[in-house]
PDB file of all heavy atoms in Angstrom:
ATOM      1  N   ALA A   1     198.492-135.794 -20.365  1.00  0.00           N
ATOM      2  CA  ALA A   1     199.073-135.623 -19.042  1.00  0.00           C
ATOM      3  C   ALA A   1     198.581-136.658 -18.044  1.00  0.00           C
ATOM      4  O   ALA A   1     199.348-137.135 -17.197  1.00  0.00           O
ATOM      5  CB  ALA A   1     198.784-134.207 -18.523  1.00  0.00           C
ATOM      6  N   ALA A   2     197.308-137.032 -18.128  1.00  0.00           N
ATOM      7  CA  ALA A   2     196.733-137.948 -17.141  1.00  0.00           C
ATOM      8  C   ALA A   2     197.393-139.316 -17.165  1.00  0.00           C
ATOM      9  O   ALA A   2     197.395-140.036 -16.160  1.00  0.00           O
ATOM     10  CB  ALA A   2     195.228-138.088 -17.368  1.00  0.00           C
ATOM     11  N   TYR A   3     197.972-139.707 -18.304  1.00  0.00           N
ATOM     12  CA  TYR A   3     198.632-141.012 -18.394  1.00  0.00           C
ATOM     13  C   TYR A   3     199.954-141.036 -17.623  1.00  0.00           C
ATOM     14  O   TYR A   3     200.510-142.111 -17.403  1.00  0.00           O
ATOM     15  CB  TYR A   3     198.878-141.385 -19.857  1.00  0.00           C
ATOM     16  CG  TYR A   3     197.595-141.621 -20.621  1.00  0.00           C
ATOM     17  CD1 TYR A   3     197.084-140.637 -21.464  1.00  0.00           C
ATOM     18  CD2 TYR A   3     196.901-142.814 -20.502  1.00  0.00           C
ATOM     19  CE1 TYR A   3     195.909-140.843 -22.148  1.00  0.00           C
ATOM     20  CE2 TYR A   3     195.727-143.029 -21.199  1.00  0.00           C
ATOM     21  CZ  TYR A   3     195.224-142.045 -22.014  1.00  0.00           C
ATOM     22  OH  TYR A   3     194.059-142.250 -22.724  1.00  0.00           O
ATOM     23  N   ASN A   4     200.432-139.859 -17.231  1.00  0.00           N
ATOM     24  CA  ASN A   4     201.662-139.795 -16.439  1.00  0.00           C
ATOM     25  C   ASN A   4     201.389-139.350 -15.003  1.00  0.00           C
ATOM     26  O   ASN A   4     202.313-138.920 -14.304  1.00  0.00           O
ATOM     27  CB  ASN A   4     202.672-138.822 -17.086  1.00  0.00           C
ATOM     28  CG  ASN A   4     203.316-139.427 -18.325  1.00  0.00           C
ATOM     29  OD1 ASN A   4     203.548-140.626 -18.387  1.00  0.00           O
ATOM     30  ND2 ASN A   4     203.634-138.589 -19.299  1.00  0.00           N
ATOM     31  N   SER A   5     200.147-139.445 -14.581  1.00  0.00           N
ATOM     32  CA  SER A   5     199.844-139.077 -13.202  1.00  0.00           C
ATOM     33  C   SER A   5     200.315-140.184 -12.262  1.00  0.00           C
ATOM     34  O   SER A   5     200.459-141.349 -12.649  1.00  0.00           O
ATOM     35  CB  SER A   5     198.345-138.863 -13.015  1.00  0.00           C
ATOM     36  OG  SER A   5     197.640-140.075 -13.182  1.00  0.00           O
ATOM     37  N   PHE A   6     200.554-139.801 -11.006  1.00  0.00           N
ATOM     38  CA  PHE A   6     201.054-140.769 -10.033  1.00  0.00           C
ATOM     39  C   PHE A   6     200.000-141.847  -9.773  1.00  0.00           C
ATOM     40  O   PHE A   6     200.332-143.036  -9.649  1.00  0.00           O
ATOM     41  CB  PHE A   6     201.416-140.061  -8.722  1.00  0.00           C
ATOM     42  CG  PHE A   6     201.865-140.999  -7.646  1.00  0.00           C
ATOM     43  CD1 PHE A   6     203.149-141.526  -7.648  1.00  0.00           C
ATOM     44  CD2 PHE A   6     200.994-141.376  -6.624  1.00  0.00           C
ATOM     45  CE1 PHE A   6     203.568-142.392  -6.660  1.00  0.00           C
ATOM     46  CE2 PHE A   6     201.402-142.251  -5.628  1.00  0.00           C
ATOM     47  CZ  PHE A   6     202.683-142.753  -5.651  1.00  0.00           C
ATOM     48  N   GLN A   7     198.717-141.459  -9.680  1.00  0.00           N
ATOM     49  CA  GLN A   7     197.664-142.438  -9.419  1.00  0.00           C
ATOM     50  C   GLN A   7     197.544-143.443 -10.548  1.00  0.00           C
ATOM     51  O   GLN A   7     197.323-144.643 -10.305  1.00  0.00           O
ATOM     52  CB  GLN A   7     196.326-141.724  -9.202  1.00  0.00           C
ATOM     53  CG  GLN A   7     196.258-140.845  -7.979  1.00  0.00           C
ATOM     54  CD  GLN A   7     196.696-139.415  -8.245  1.00  0.00           C
ATOM     55  OE1 GLN A   7     197.380-139.152  -9.240  1.00  0.00           O
ATOM     56  NE2 GLN A   7     196.283-138.496  -7.392  1.00  0.00           N
ATOM     57  N   TYR A   8     197.670-142.979 -11.773  1.00  0.00           N
ATOM     58  CA  TYR A   8     197.571-143.880 -12.938  1.00  0.00           C
ATOM     59  C   TYR A   8     198.716-144.889 -12.921  1.00  0.00           C
ATOM     60  O   TYR A   8     198.508-146.090 -13.177  1.00  0.00           O
ATOM     61  CB  TYR A   8     197.578-143.051 -14.210  1.00  0.00           C
ATOM     62  CG  TYR A   8     197.269-143.846 -15.468  1.00  0.00           C
ATOM     63  CD1 TYR A   8     195.963-144.079 -15.853  1.00  0.00           C
ATOM     64  CD2 TYR A   8     198.296-144.343 -16.270  1.00  0.00           C
ATOM     65  CE1 TYR A   8     195.663-144.789 -16.995  1.00  0.00           C
ATOM     66  CE2 TYR A   8     198.019-145.074 -17.412  1.00  0.00           C
ATOM     67  CZ  TYR A   8     196.701-145.271 -17.774  1.00  0.00           C
ATOM     68  OH  TYR A   8     196.414-146.012 -18.915  1.00  0.00           O
ATOM     69  N   ARG A   9     199.904-144.431 -12.627  1.00  0.00           N
ATOM     70  CA  ARG A   9     201.055-145.343 -12.574  1.00  0.00           C
ATOM     71  C   ARG A   9     200.951-146.284 -11.373  1.00  0.00           C
ATOM     72  O   ARG A   9     201.236-147.474 -11.481  1.00  0.00           O
ATOM     73  CB  ARG A   9     202.355-144.556 -12.489  1.00  0.00           C
ATOM     74  CG  ARG A   9     202.697-143.741 -13.732  1.00  0.00           C
ATOM     75  CD  ARG A   9     204.055-143.075 -13.548  1.00  0.00           C
ATOM     76  NE  ARG A   9     204.413-142.233 -14.688  1.00  0.00           N
ATOM     77  CZ  ARG A   9     205.555-141.558 -14.781  1.00  0.00           C
ATOM     78  NH1 ARG A   9     206.434-141.630 -13.798  1.00  0.00           N
ATOM     79  NH2 ARG A   9     205.808-140.821 -15.833  1.00  0.00           N
ATOM     80  N   LYS A  10     200.546-145.744 -10.208  1.00  0.00           N
ATOM     81  CA  LYS A  10     200.480-146.549  -8.993  1.00  0.00           C
ATOM     82  C   LYS A  10     199.502-147.713  -9.148  1.00  0.00           C
ATOM     83  O   LYS A  10     199.743-148.815  -8.652  1.00  0.00           O
ATOM     84  CB  LYS A  10     200.069-145.656  -7.825  1.00  0.00           C
ATOM     85  CG  LYS A  10     200.011-146.357  -6.473  1.00  0.00           C
ATOM     86  CD  LYS A  10     201.390-146.757  -5.985  1.00  0.00           C
ATOM     87  CE  LYS A  10     201.322-147.319  -4.582  1.00  0.00           C
ATOM     88  NZ  LYS A  10     202.668-147.780  -4.116  1.00  0.00           N
ATOM     89  N   ALA A  11     198.406-147.459  -9.871  1.00  0.00           N
ATOM     90  CA  ALA A  11     197.402-148.499 -10.077  1.00  0.00           C
ATOM     91  C   ALA A  11     197.796-149.470 -11.184  1.00  0.00           C
ATOM     92  O   ALA A  11     197.036-150.397 -11.467  1.00  0.00           O
ATOM     93  CB  ALA A  11     196.059-147.857 -10.419  1.00  0.00           C
ATOM     94  N   ASN A  12     198.964-149.233 -11.808  1.00  0.00           N
ATOM     95  CA  ASN A  12     199.423-150.059 -12.922  1.00  0.00           C
ATOM     96  C   ASN A  12     198.362-150.135 -14.027  1.00  0.00           C
ATOM     97  O   ASN A  12     198.054-151.190 -14.566  1.00  0.00           O
ATOM     98  CB  ASN A  12     199.796-151.464 -12.460  1.00  0.00           C
ATOM     99  CG  ASN A  12     200.569-152.245 -13.503  1.00  0.00           C
ATOM    100  OD1 ASN A  12     201.281-151.681 -14.335  1.00  0.00           O
ATOM    101  ND2 ASN A  12     200.398-153.555 -13.511  1.00  0.00           N
ATOM    102  N   SER A  13     197.782-148.986 -14.319  1.00  0.00           N
ATOM    103  CA  SER A  13     196.722-148.913 -15.332  1.00  0.00           C
ATOM    104  C   SER A  13     197.303-148.772 -16.718  1.00  0.00           C
ATOM    105  O   SER A  13     198.357-148.147 -16.918  1.00  0.00           O
ATOM    106  CB  SER A  13     195.789-147.709 -15.033  1.00  0.00           C
ATOM    107  OG  SER A  13     195.172-147.860 -13.791  1.00  0.00           O
ATOM    108  N   TRP A  14     196.593-149.341 -17.683  1.00  0.00           N
ATOM    109  CA  TRP A  14     196.980-149.229 -19.093  1.00  0.00           C
ATOM    110  C   TRP A  14     195.776-148.923 -19.959  1.00  0.00           C
ATOM    111  O   TRP A  14     195.861-148.934 -21.183  1.00  0.00           O
ATOM    112  CB  TRP A  14     197.667-150.516 -19.563  1.00  0.00           C
ATOM    113  CG  TRP A  14     198.939-150.793 -18.847  1.00  0.00           C
ATOM    114  CD1 TRP A  14     199.113-151.596 -17.754  1.00  0.00           C
ATOM    115  CD2 TRP A  14     200.227-150.227 -19.123  1.00  0.00           C
ATOM    116  NE1 TRP A  14     200.426-151.570 -17.336  1.00  0.00           N
ATOM    117  CE2 TRP A  14     201.136-150.746 -18.168  1.00  0.00           C
ATOM    118  CE3 TRP A  14     200.700-149.334 -20.092  1.00  0.00           C
ATOM    119  CZ2 TRP A  14     202.485-150.406 -18.151  1.00  0.00           C
ATOM    120  CZ3 TRP A  14     202.044-149.006 -20.079  1.00  0.00           C
ATOM    121  CH2 TRP A  14     202.921-149.533 -19.116  1.00  0.00           C
ATOM    122  N   HIS A  15     194.640-148.656 -19.357  1.00  0.00           N
ATOM    123  CA  HIS A  15     193.420-148.395 -20.114  1.00  0.00           C
ATOM    124  C   HIS A  15     193.436-146.954 -20.663  1.00  0.00           C
ATOM    125  O   HIS A  15     194.157-146.082 -20.136  1.00  0.00           O
ATOM    126  CB  HIS A  15     192.189-148.600 -19.228  1.00  0.00           C
ATOM    127  CG  HIS A  15     192.090-147.594 -18.099  1.00  0.00           C
ATOM    128  ND1 HIS A  15     192.772-147.747 -16.898  1.00  0.00           N
ATOM    129  CD2 HIS A  15     191.435-146.415 -18.008  1.00  0.00           C
ATOM    130  CE1 HIS A  15     192.520-146.709 -16.116  1.00  0.00           C
ATOM    131  NE2 HIS A  15     191.706-145.887 -16.759  1.00  0.00           N
ATOM    132  N   LEU A  16     192.655-146.739 -21.696  1.00  0.00           N
ATOM    133  CA  LEU A  16     192.540-145.403 -22.272  1.00  0.00           C
ATOM    134  C   LEU A  16     191.599-144.574 -21.425  1.00  0.00           C
ATOM    135  O   LEU A  16     190.520-145.035 -21.024  1.00  0.00           O
ATOM    136  CB  LEU A  16     192.044-145.482 -23.712  1.00  0.00           C
ATOM    137  CG  LEU A  16     192.947-146.220 -24.706  1.00  0.00           C
ATOM    138  CD1 LEU A  16     192.338-146.199 -26.107  1.00  0.00           C
ATOM    139  CD2 LEU A  16     194.341-145.623 -24.741  1.00  0.00           C
ATOM    140  N   ILE A  17     191.991-143.342 -21.162  1.00  0.00           N
ATOM    141  CA  ILE A  17     191.203-142.445 -20.325  1.00  0.00           C
ATOM    142  C   ILE A  17     190.294-141.614 -21.232  1.00  0.00           C
ATOM    143  O   ILE A  17     190.784-140.941 -22.142  1.00  0.00           O
ATOM    144  CB  ILE A  17     192.107-141.522 -19.505  1.00  0.00           C
ATOM    145  CG1 ILE A  17     193.039-142.352 -18.617  1.00  0.00           C
ATOM    146  CG2 ILE A  17     191.292-140.567 -18.669  1.00  0.00           C
ATOM    147  CD1 ILE A  17     194.074-141.537 -17.883  1.00  0.00           C
ATOM    148  N   PRO A  18     188.981-141.631 -20.999  1.00  0.00           N
ATOM    149  CA  PRO A  18     188.096-140.773 -21.799  1.00  0.00           C
ATOM    150  C   PRO A  18     188.474-139.312 -21.586  1.00  0.00           C
ATOM    151  O   PRO A  18     188.540-138.824 -20.465  1.00  0.00           O
ATOM    152  CB  PRO A  18     186.702-141.074 -21.231  1.00  0.00           C
ATOM    153  CG  PRO A  18     186.835-142.403 -20.550  1.00  0.00           C
ATOM    154  CD  PRO A  18     188.250-142.454 -20.021  1.00  0.00           C
ATOM    155  N   SER A  19     188.751-138.638 -22.683  1.00  0.00           N
ATOM    156  CA  SER A  19     189.186-137.248 -22.584  1.00  0.00           C
ATOM    157  C   SER A  19     188.086-136.325 -23.058  1.00  0.00           C
ATOM    158  O   SER A  19     187.262-136.696 -23.911  1.00  0.00           O
ATOM    159  CB  SER A  19     190.448-137.014 -23.417  1.00  0.00           C
ATOM    160  OG  SER A  19     190.211-137.343 -24.769  1.00  0.00           O
ATOM    161  N   SER A  20     188.064-135.152 -22.501  1.00  0.00           N
ATOM    162  CA  SER A  20     187.112-134.148 -22.936  1.00  0.00           C
ATOM    163  C   SER A  20     187.510-133.626 -24.303  1.00  0.00           C
ATOM    164  O   SER A  20     188.616-133.849 -24.782  1.00  0.00           O
ATOM    165  CB  SER A  20     187.055-133.009 -21.919  1.00  0.00           C
ATOM    166  OG  SER A  20     188.349-132.434 -21.760  1.00  0.00           O
ATOM    167  N   SER A  21     186.580-132.937 -24.947  1.00  0.00           N
ATOM    168  CA  SER A  21     186.870-132.389 -26.267  1.00  0.00           C
ATOM    169  C   SER A  21     187.953-131.334 -26.188  1.00  0.00           C
ATOM    170  O   SER A  21     188.113-130.639 -25.180  1.00  0.00           O
ATOM    171  CB  SER A  21     185.584-131.770 -26.864  1.00  0.00           C
ATOM    172  OG  SER A  21     185.108-130.746 -26.015  1.00  0.00           O
ATOM    173  N   THR A  22     188.729-131.254 -27.250  1.00  0.00           N
ATOM    174  CA  THR A  22     189.828-130.291 -27.288  1.00  0.00           C
ATOM    175  C   THR A  22     189.285-128.879 -27.254  1.00  0.00           C
ATOM    176  O   THR A  22     188.353-128.526 -27.975  1.00  0.00           O
ATOM    177  CB  THR A  22     190.666-130.503 -28.555  1.00  0.00           C
ATOM    178  OG1 THR A  22     191.127-131.849 -28.606  1.00  0.00           O
ATOM    179  CG2 THR A  22     191.833-129.560 -28.584  1.00  0.00           C
ATOM    180  N   VAL A  23     189.888-128.040 -26.420  1.00  0.00           N
ATOM    181  CA  VAL A  23     189.487-126.642 -26.332  1.00  0.00           C
ATOM    182  C   VAL A  23     190.052-125.897 -27.540  1.00  0.00           C
ATOM    183  O   VAL A  23     191.260-125.913 -27.788  1.00  0.00           O
ATOM    184  CB  VAL A  23     189.999-126.011 -25.017  1.00  0.00           C
ATOM    185  CG1 VAL A  23     189.613-124.536 -24.963  1.00  0.00           C
ATOM    186  CG2 VAL A  23     189.432-126.767 -23.825  1.00  0.00           C
ATOM    187  N   THR A  24     189.167-125.273 -28.293  1.00  0.00           N
ATOM    188  CA  THR A  24     189.567-124.576 -29.501  1.00  0.00           C
ATOM    189  C   THR A  24     189.054-123.146 -29.486  1.00  0.00           C
ATOM    190  O   THR A  24     188.134-122.801 -28.725  1.00  0.00           O
ATOM    191  CB  THR A  24     189.041-125.292 -30.764  1.00  0.00           C
ATOM    192  OG1 THR A  24     187.601-125.347 -30.713  1.00  0.00           O
ATOM    193  CG2 THR A  24     189.599-126.697 -30.859  1.00  0.00           C
ATOM    194  N   VAL A  25     189.656-122.331 -30.326  1.00  0.00           N
ATOM    195  CA  VAL A  25     189.236-120.938 -30.485  1.00  0.00           C
ATOM    196  C   VAL A  25     189.108-120.640 -31.970  1.00  0.00           C
ATOM    197  O   VAL A  25     189.638-121.363 -32.820  1.00  0.00           O
ATOM    198  CB  VAL A  25     190.246-119.968 -29.822  1.00  0.00           C
ATOM    199  CG1 VAL A  25     190.214-120.099 -28.321  1.00  0.00           C
ATOM    200  CG2 VAL A  25     191.651-120.229 -30.345  1.00  0.00           C
ATOM    201  N   HIS A  26     188.386-119.559 -32.276  1.00  0.00           N
ATOM    202  CA  HIS A  26     188.121-119.160 -33.644  1.00  0.00           C
ATOM    203  C   HIS A  26     188.438-117.684 -33.814  1.00  0.00           C
ATOM    204  O   HIS A  26     188.304-116.901 -32.852  1.00  0.00           O
ATOM    205  CB  HIS A  26     186.634-119.435 -33.981  1.00  0.00           C
ATOM    206  CG  HIS A  26     186.313-119.285 -35.434  1.00  0.00           C
ATOM    207  ND1 HIS A  26     185.929-118.078 -35.987  1.00  0.00           N
ATOM    208  CD2 HIS A  26     186.327-120.187 -36.437  1.00  0.00           C
ATOM    209  CE1 HIS A  26     185.717-118.240 -37.288  1.00  0.00           C
ATOM    210  NE2 HIS A  26     185.942-119.511 -37.590  1.00  0.00           N
ATOM    211  N   PRO A  27     188.871-117.267 -35.006  1.00  0.00           N
ATOM    212  CA  PRO A  27     189.197-115.851 -35.198  1.00  0.00           C
ATOM    213  C   PRO A  27     188.079-114.898 -34.821  1.00  0.00           C
ATOM    214  O   PRO A  27     188.325-113.758 -34.383  1.00  0.00           O
ATOM    215  CB  PRO A  27     189.523-115.770 -36.703  1.00  0.00           C
ATOM    216  CG  PRO A  27     190.003-117.139 -37.044  1.00  0.00           C
ATOM    217  CD  PRO A  27     189.223-118.062 -36.190  1.00  0.00           C
ATOM    218  N   LEU A  28     186.818-115.340 -35.001  1.00  0.00           N
ATOM    219  CA  LEU A  28     185.715-114.464 -34.644  1.00  0.00           C
ATOM    220  C   LEU A  28     185.557-114.301 -33.133  1.00  0.00           C
ATOM    221  O   LEU A  28     184.815-113.432 -32.672  1.00  0.00           O
ATOM    222  CB  LEU A  28     184.413-115.020 -35.236  1.00  0.00           C
ATOM    223  CG  LEU A  28     184.340-115.040 -36.779  1.00  0.00           C
ATOM    224  CD1 LEU A  28     183.007-115.613 -37.242  1.00  0.00           C
ATOM    225  CD2 LEU A  28     184.557-113.652 -37.351  1.00  0.00           C
ATOM    226  N   ASP A  29     186.252-115.178 -32.359  1.00  0.00           N
ATOM    227  CA  ASP A  29     186.209-115.028 -30.904  1.00  0.00           C
ATOM    228  C   ASP A  29     187.043-113.865 -30.416  1.00  0.00           C
ATOM    229  O   ASP A  29     186.893-113.424 -29.260  1.00  0.00           O
ATOM    230  CB  ASP A  29     186.727-116.323 -30.239  1.00  0.00           C
ATOM    231  CG  ASP A  29     185.840-117.526 -30.521  1.00  0.00           C
ATOM    232  OD1 ASP A  29     184.642-117.298 -30.775  1.00  0.00           O
ATOM    233  OD2 ASP A  29     186.355-118.641 -30.507  1.00  0.00           O
ATOM    234  N   GLY A  30     187.927-113.357 -31.261  1.00  0.00           N
ATOM    235  CA  GLY A  30     188.810-112.281 -30.849  1.00  0.00           C
ATOM    236  C   GLY A  30     189.959-112.798 -30.008  1.00  0.00           C
ATOM    237  O   GLY A  30     190.311-113.988 -30.056  1.00  0.00           O
ATOM    238  N   GLU A  31     190.573-111.956 -29.226  1.00  0.00           N
ATOM    239  CA  GLU A  31     191.693-112.354 -28.392  1.00  0.00           C
ATOM    240  C   GLU A  31     191.176-113.096 -27.165  1.00  0.00           C
ATOM    241  O   GLU A  31     190.406-112.562 -26.367  1.00  0.00           O
ATOM    242  CB  GLU A  31     192.493-111.130 -27.962  1.00  0.00           C
ATOM    243  CG  GLU A  31     193.199-110.417 -29.122  1.00  0.00           C
ATOM    244  CD  GLU A  31     194.086-109.290 -28.651  1.00  0.00           C
ATOM    245  OE1 GLU A  31     194.160-109.077 -27.432  1.00  0.00           O
ATOM    246  OE2 GLU A  31     194.716-108.625 -29.509  1.00  0.00           O
ATOM    247  N   ILE A  32     191.589-114.361 -27.039  1.00  0.00           N
ATOM    248  CA  ILE A  32     191.175-115.209 -25.927  1.00  0.00           C
ATOM    249  C   ILE A  32     192.391-115.545 -25.071  1.00  0.00           C
ATOM    250  O   ILE A  32     193.400-116.015 -25.581  1.00  0.00           O
ATOM    251  CB  ILE A  32     190.508-116.489 -26.433  1.00  0.00           C
ATOM    252  CG1 ILE A  32     189.254-116.180 -27.237  1.00  0.00           C
ATOM    253  CG2 ILE A  32     190.169-117.421 -25.262  1.00  0.00           C
ATOM    254  CD1 ILE A  32     188.134-115.566 -26.427  1.00  0.00           C
ATOM    255  N   TYR A  33     192.264-115.310 -23.787  1.00  0.00           N
ATOM    256  CA  TYR A  33     193.355-115.598 -22.865  1.00  0.00           C
ATOM    257  C   TYR A  33     192.853-116.490 -21.722  1.00  0.00           C
ATOM    258  O   TYR A  33     191.665-116.441 -21.364  1.00  0.00           O
ATOM    259  CB  TYR A  33     193.944-114.304 -22.274  1.00  0.00           C
ATOM    260  CG  TYR A  33     194.724-113.487 -23.254  1.00  0.00           C
ATOM    261  CD1 TYR A  33     194.119-112.492 -24.014  1.00  0.00           C
ATOM    262  CD2 TYR A  33     196.099-113.691 -23.416  1.00  0.00           C
ATOM    263  CE1 TYR A  33     194.843-111.733 -24.915  1.00  0.00           C
ATOM    264  CE2 TYR A  33     196.829-112.930 -24.323  1.00  0.00           C
ATOM    265  CZ  TYR A  33     196.195-111.958 -25.079  1.00  0.00           C
ATOM    266  OH  TYR A  33     196.918-111.214 -25.968  1.00  0.00           O
ATOM    267  N   ALA A  34     193.749-117.287 -21.216  1.00  0.00           N
ATOM    268  CA  ALA A  34     193.507-118.036 -19.973  1.00  0.00           C
ATOM    269  C   ALA A  34     194.565-117.598 -18.978  1.00  0.00           C
ATOM    270  O   ALA A  34     195.641-117.121 -19.361  1.00  0.00           O
ATOM    271  CB  ALA A  34     193.579-119.529 -20.220  1.00  0.00           C
ATOM    272  N   GLN A  35     194.272-117.777 -17.689  1.00  0.00           N
ATOM    273  CA  GLN A  35     195.262-117.357 -16.705  1.00  0.00           C
ATOM    274  C   GLN A  35     195.205-118.253 -15.474  1.00  0.00           C
ATOM    275  O   GLN A  35     194.173-118.827 -15.147  1.00  0.00           O
ATOM    276  CB  GLN A  35     195.064-115.895 -16.306  1.00  0.00           C
ATOM    277  CG  GLN A  35     193.715-115.561 -15.717  1.00  0.00           C
ATOM    278  CD  GLN A  35     193.597-114.074 -15.386  1.00  0.00           C
ATOM    279  OE1 GLN A  35     194.595-113.343 -15.415  1.00  0.00           O
ATOM    280  NE2 GLN A  35     192.408-113.630 -15.084  1.00  0.00           N
ATOM    281  N   ILE A  36     196.377-118.370 -14.846  1.00  0.00           N
ATOM    282  CA  ILE A  36     196.519-119.088 -13.591  1.00  0.00           C
ATOM    283  C   ILE A  36     196.868-118.046 -12.537  1.00  0.00           C
ATOM    284  O   ILE A  36     197.871-117.330 -12.660  1.00  0.00           O
ATOM    285  CB  ILE A  36     197.635-120.142 -13.666  1.00  0.00           C
ATOM    286  CG1 ILE A  36     197.400-121.076 -14.871  1.00  0.00           C
ATOM    287  CG2 ILE A  36     197.686-120.970 -12.393  1.00  0.00           C
ATOM    288  CD1 ILE A  36     198.512-122.088 -15.063  1.00  0.00           C
TER     289      ILE A  36
END
């Protein structure tokens, strides 16, 4: 998503953005929900 941000386009950037690790879940975690 960050590669399509307005600031990234406005700056005419083409560099790779360091991304955080992918958020993952495991069956032993049980039911995991996020909310907005």
